Amino acid sequence: MMQRASAKSTGAYAPASAKNRAAESLRRLWKDKVTLVSLLFVLLVIFSALAAPVISPHDPTKGSITNRLKPPFWVEGGDPRFILGTDQQGRDVLSRIIWGGRVSLTVGFVCVAISGAFGTLLGLISGYFGKWVDTLIMRIVDIQSSFPGLLVALTFVMVLGPGMWNLIAALTFNGWMVHARMARSQVLSMRETTMVEAARAIGCPTSRTLFGHIFPNIISPLITTYVLEIARIIGAEATMSFLGYGIQPPQSSWGLMIGEGRVYIAQAWWLVTFPGVAIALTILCLNLVGNWVRTELDPLHRTRH
Amino acid sequence: MNELIVVDKLVKYFPTGGGFLAGPKQYVRAVDDISFVIRKGETFGLVGESGCGKTTTGRLILRLIEPTSGKIFYNGQDITKLNEAQMRQMRRKMQLIFQDAFSSFDPRNTVFDIIAEPLRVHNLASGAELCERVAELLVTVGLEQRHAAEYPHTLSSGQKQCVGIARALSLNPEFIVADEPISAVDVSVRAQVLNLMKDLQDKFGLTYLFISHDMSVIKFLSDRVGVMYVGKLVEYAEKRELFKHPMHPYSQALLAAVPVEDPSERHERQILEGDVPSPINPPSGCRFHTRCSYAKPICAEEEPLLEDRGGGHYVACHVF
């Protein structure tokens, strides 16, 4: 009778443990200050990108020739109105970084969301089914990877015309292969495991085995790739904009700012430094946050803390 | 009808090597033309050295591996002819207990999810009913309710195997392949797991195919025993008969290697010479002739057939 009674209470297990898990994750995050700071920085960048119209102190596209090339306010000759100084057209650098972040993050996240989903799906299918499906998908990946990425992106933009959404299309078209390869290699090592055999022995349909058991267990290395890819895409956007085929002036992006500021690097170091720091810090923090997400998703790793 | 499983001329060759610039393709003859029956409610013990094909045989019977040729009848139905969907339904009746239970679990799932998985997959229970069923299964295998919320890596080896057994039982199967179920379990709790398996057999009328390399475990649990050597079934008989009168020289050698409890019954150890031959290039004729001390010229030339020597004692040997 005792056992019967306690049997009823098993129903509470799943939701309660999920709640506990979230609380424990946050507790571990609080102890890990570096990750905490990174997460806060990433949130700050996302927030400033979302709230750009509200928080940006000046219009990022409007300059005045009289305020040209002002250094940051703490440097001699700086103007307290322009905290990080102004560029060659007298536009506020801070405002341009805030608005530019909006572009850079959109490009990074949207590209990886689409190319990651597409590439991962094809990689899962390729790795799990093998045979001619695998050959077909992987040959497409090989063919597409054999073209230099920048060249393909440039051609793409030449045909479609420059602009943020066309740039996103070009970088997405170019970015899915790495996800397909990554997912495939992970599935290959997973496919022969006892766990997958057990799923089959139970009678799991293929879709449940693939998406319910294999995918959640390979998500950790995939997340690392996603984060690294966001970082790479932000860099690629910077390159494309630097070359003049990405974001078009007077719109701003971090890459474009470096491209435009390059000419003045001797007189006005702040023009390349601050967008450069923004890119570097965002990429670094994204990687640290990605690392944290990865370990939090892994129950084996969690208890070893 | 008394037979639950009939294995007829089952063959599995795994291709190895070969391909572009790598020379001709070779085949590992993991299971090479074996036939036997498993009766309802019995435990059929399959014994042999590692690499002899006993695990492959177990996987073939569950069709987790596709046979190269041969037939497997389950309750008179040839399951090698079933398609994917029909086979999935069939799996409700035939389950597998793994050697390493932990590696057969999704490490992201709690014990509850692991045991509930088969019921969810086959839409047999949900909500409160599912919880009750899982709780019941936990009790059946001697685990406690609190284990349901835990992750399998926090359990002991014996508990892990119990979770594996509970999962196998969840679908109320008739037939269970137990592949070395205790070799990964701590020695101190092995007997407990074996006793549990025996109790469950009585309680649910299960039929086992028990795969092991350990003669004493086979002796404890089996009703009938088959001996495999390099992909071939060389002898099978009632347990008592086989342990008393092993006919095949290989079975004799295996039995001679089992330690005896009573020192007065200690017998001459029979040590086999040489190594197990490769299943890629098995010896001609009787596969055991290279190591057999009774070998005659015919043994190298002609393959002995598995024949009934009376009372259901089958042996494949020219000499005995």
Side-chain angles (χ1 to χ4, degrees):
Chain A
M1 258 352 264
M2 265 293 287
Q3 284 151 352
R4 279 280 155 190
S6 53
K8 289 255 155 54
S9 66
T10 38
Y13 283 142
S17 66
K19 220 182 276 171
N20 283 341
R21 253 182 266 169
E24 269 172 43
S25 282
L26 289 176
R27 213 172 303 135
R28 270 194 300 276
L29 179 63
W30 184 248
K31 279 189 199 150
D32 183 359
K33 298 296 182 210
V34 176
T35 307
L36 184 66
V37 171
S38 308
L39 183 65
L40 290 177
F41 183 79
V42 170
L43 290 176
L44 174 76
V45 172
I46 293 173
F47 168 77
S48 71
L50 290 175
V54 185
I55 60 166
S56 128
H58 299 271
D59 186 328
T61 57
K62 241 186 236 149
S64 66
I65 216 73
T66 47
N67 291 327
R68 208 171 163 267
L69 292 177
K70 286 246 191 292
F73 77 95
W74 64 88
V75 178
E76 210 184 319
D79 187 327
R81 283 182 302 155
F82 307 108
I83 298 174
L84 299 180
T86 59
D87 68 2
Q88 68 282 4
Q89 296 183 33
R91 297 175 296 195
D92 180 36
V93 170
L94 178 63
S95 304
R96 282 181 71 73
I97 284 180
I98 291 172
W99 281 89
R102 201 174 208 195
V103 172
S104 292
L105 287 186
T106 309
V107 173
F109 279 94
V110 172
C111 276
V112 173
I114 301 171
S115 64
F118 182 70
T120 304
L121 182 68
L122 284 186
L124 285 172
I125 291 170
S126 183
Y128 189 78
F129 292 100
K131 296 189 182 144
W132 66 269
V133 182
D134 184 34
T135 312
L136 180 72
I137 295 175
M138 281 304 121
R139 285 307 81 78
I140 295 173
V141 167
D142 288 343
I143 291 167
Q144 238 200 296
S145 309
S146 64
F147 292 102
L150 197 61
L151 185 72
V152 175
L154 281 176
T155 317
F156 226 83
V157 172
M158 294 275 228
V159 174
L160 294 175
M164 188 176 82
W165 292 105
N166 291 345
L167 181 65
I168 287 175
L171 293 175
T172 304
F173 179 73
N174 244 334
W176 66 275
M177 294 89 77
V178 62
H179 302 291
R181 279 213 176 110
M182 191 72 192
R184 174 179 175 269
S185 69
Q186 295 296 322
V187 173
L188 282 184
S189 64
M190 216 19 141
R191 194 177 61 174
E192 303 300 326
T193 56
T194 317
M195 183 196 91
V196 171
E197 190 178 38
R200 287 191 58 213
I202 286 163
C204 272
T206 306
S207 58
R208 192 177 172 111
T209 311
L210 192 51
F211 298 109
H213 293 295
I214 295 181
F215 180 61
N217 278 291
I218 61 168
I219 191 104
S220 305
L222 295 186
I223 283 182
T224 318
T225 324
Y226 297 149
V227 174
L228 285 172
E229 275 294 289
I230 291 179
R232 188 188 70 82
I233 295 283
I234 289 178
E237 178 272 318
T239 310
M240 292 289 285
S241 303
F242 174 87
L243 291 173
Y245 291 97
I247 308 306
Q248 295 303 300
Q251 237 195 329
S252 87
S253 88
W254 294 344
L256 185 62
M257 290 176 76
I258 295 176
E260 289 178 340
R262 173 185 55 107
V263 191
Y264 301 90
I265 197 160
Q267 309 108 286
W269 55 268
W270 56 92
L271 291 186
V272 289
T273 306
F274 294 118
V277 166
I279 292 177
L281 272 182
T282 307
I283 292 174
L284 174 69
C285 292
L286 273 174
N287 276 315
L288 289 169
V289 171
N291 211 16
W292 169 70
V293 172
R294 193 170 58 79
T295 50
E296 285 305 317
L297 284 173
D298 187 350
L300 284 178
H301 195 279
R302 241 184 278 148
T303 40
R304 267 189 226 130
H305 263 281
Chain B
M1 198 176 51
N2 200 15
E3 290 116 16
L4 186 67
I5 304 274
V6 178
V7 176
D8 186 26
K9 296 198 172 67
L10 196 59
V11 175
K12 179 67 194 182
Y13 289 176
F14 290 105
T16 175
F20 189 57
L21 294 181
K25 221 171 203 178
Q26 290 186 310
Y27 291 93
V28 177
R29 303 181 181 193
V31 173
D32 203 354
D33 189 8
I34 65 170
S35 306
F36 61 94
V37 296
I38 302 174
R39 297 184 193 135
K40 247 171 219 166
E42 79 168 350
T43 300
F44 189 93
L46 201 54
V47 70
E49 287 167 83
S50 55
C52 73
K54 53 193 195 304
T55 295
T56 309
T57 306
R59 300 292 198 272
L60 283 168
I61 291 174
L62 295 176
R63 255 190 86 190
L64 290 171
I65 305 175
E66 292 300 321
T68 307
S69 70
K71 290 180 183 135
I72 301 149
F73 294 94
Y74 184 90
N75 254 335
Q77 191 182 8
D78 185 358
I79 61 166
T80 55
K81 294 215 169 70
L82 297 180
N83 66 26
E84 192 74 15
Q86 289 168 320
M87 198 55 221
R88 243 192 340 264
Q89 287 311 307
M90 194 50 115
R91 295 196 189 287
R92 286 168 55 174
K93 295 181 194 155
M94 42 209 299
Q95 282 296 310
L96 177 59
I97 297 175
F98 291 85
Q99 174 172 6
D100 179 5
F102 179 60
S103 70
S104 76
F105 302 147
D106 185 337
R108 273 155 212 282
N109 285 356
T110 58
V111 169
F112 179 89
D113 289 323
I114 289 164
I115 299 176
E117 174 83 355
L119 296 164
R120 284 176 175 152
V121 167
H122 292 280
N123 281 324
L124 294 177
S126 63
E129 199 193 341
L130 183 70
C131 293
E132 201 159 312
R133 182 85 183 96
V134 171
E136 214 176 278
L137 284 162
L138 282 171
V139 173
T140 309
V141 298
L143 289 172
E144 286 165 46
Q145 297 305 324
R146 66 182 165 85
H147 290 130
E150 279 173 34
Y151 283 96
H153 65 263
T154 62
L155 303 178
S156 72
S157 64
Q159 288 168 332
K160 281 173 193 161
Q161 193 52 279
C162 286
V163 174
I165 294 173
R167 174 174 64 178
L169 285 177
S170 62
L171 293 169
N172 284 324
E174 297 167 338
F175 174 61
I176 291 181
V177 174
D179 183 11
E180 306 248 12
I182 58 159
S183 48
V185 174
D186 290 340
V187 178
S188 53
V189 286
R190 282 185 180 178
Q192 227 171 306
V193 174
L194 287 180
N195 281 324
L196 172 67
M197 286 186 63
K198 218 167 188 177
D199 292 345
L200 295 173
Q201 182 167 39
D202 296 340
K203 200 167 163 190
F204 300 110
L206 298 170
T207 305
Y208 286 135
L209 172 63
F210 194 92
I211 298 167
S212 180
H213 61 263
D214 187 338
M215 272 294 189
S216 46
V217 172
I218 291 279
K219 192 176 182 182
F220 174 75
L221 213 65
S222 308
D223 299 307
R224 289 189 309 140
V225 180
V227 180
M228 277 188 84
Y229 184 75
V230 199
K232 287 276 182 191
L233 194 61
V234 295
E235 180 167 11
Y236 83 98
E238 296 290 329
K239 172 179 73 182
R240 216 163 276 152
E241 169 69 14
L242 187 94
F243 275 79
K244 264 199 186 138
H245 308 292
M247 286 199 209
H248 198 283
Y250 179 64
S251 316
Q252 290 175 7
L254 276 186
L255 283 172
V258 178
V260 263
E261 294 148 26
D262 185 352
S264 65
E265 279 180 28
R266 201 177 281 162
H267 43 68
E268 192 72 17
R269 275 271 175 109
Q270 203 182 333
I271 310 238
L272 280 180
E273 306 263 324
D275 288 324
V276 184
S278 154
I280 297 175
N281 270 317
S284 61
C286 173
R287 293 188 179 183
F288 190 58
H289 84 262
T290 51
R291 300 169 77 191
C292 181
S293 46
Y294 309 99
K296 293 189 207 161
I298 189 182
C299 300
E301 286 157 20
E302 208 175 300
E303 199 174 309
L305 296 170
L306 194 67
E307 287 167 339
D308 193 348
R309 301 289 167 88
H313 191 147
Y314 287 81
V315 184
C317 183
H318 290 305
V319 182
F320 290 90

